[in-house]
Amino acid sequence: MLIETAPTLRAEEETVMALACVLYEQGARAESFRLLLRLSAAGNRTAPLFYNQALCLEQAGQREKAISCLEKALSCLKSGKRELEQPSIEAEVLRILYERQCAQAQYRFPMREAEAVCLPAYARERILRLMIDLCAQLNDGARVRTLVASLQGKRFENVEKALRQISEKET
């Protein structure tokens, strides 16, 4: 019995996450957060869940709690499954399509479950970029620099802005 219901529960969780993402994008942040809390209460612990909660928490001015969620999101990515050495053709097609889709997306939009699975490096960058923004807002220059270093030389407009902001406040 348990084996038969597990796929159904997973599909329901993915549907709820997709709805939470759509609601957030449409500006219904409270409803989105309510659905994310429901997923969390059901035991869901994924990088997209924590990332999306962080987006909502930031909107509510809860930056420290948002950073905590982002740390959990990073932890989920680190403990996740490693990519297969030779992915199947289907997995490779999915990865390519998600890369193209994600190349057009902004980092401050909700993260879908499949994005984190197919593109863990991209998910990590998104999480780090949001963390950098939040730490800069909290004037935590040391943490901003540590997070920037973990991007391994990749440059993003928001990262440059955060570094300038921290520099100006320290002088």
Side-chain angles (χ1 to χ4, degrees), residues 89-100 114 118-119:
I89 296 297
E90 294 84 2
E92 183 62 15
V93 169
L94 272 176
R95 186 192 62 73
I96 291 167
L97 292 174
Y98 274 116
E99 278 181 354
R100 290 181 182 165
C118 292
L119 301 172

Side-chain angles (χ1 to χ4, degrees), residues 21-40:
C21 291
V22 169
L23 288 168
Y24 184 93
E25 290 167 352
Q26 292 177 347
R29 308 265 163 44
E31 283 302 308
S32 175
F33 191 62
R34 186 183 64 76
L35 291 176
L36 295 170
L37 290 175
R38 184 173 131 195
L39 286 171
S40 185

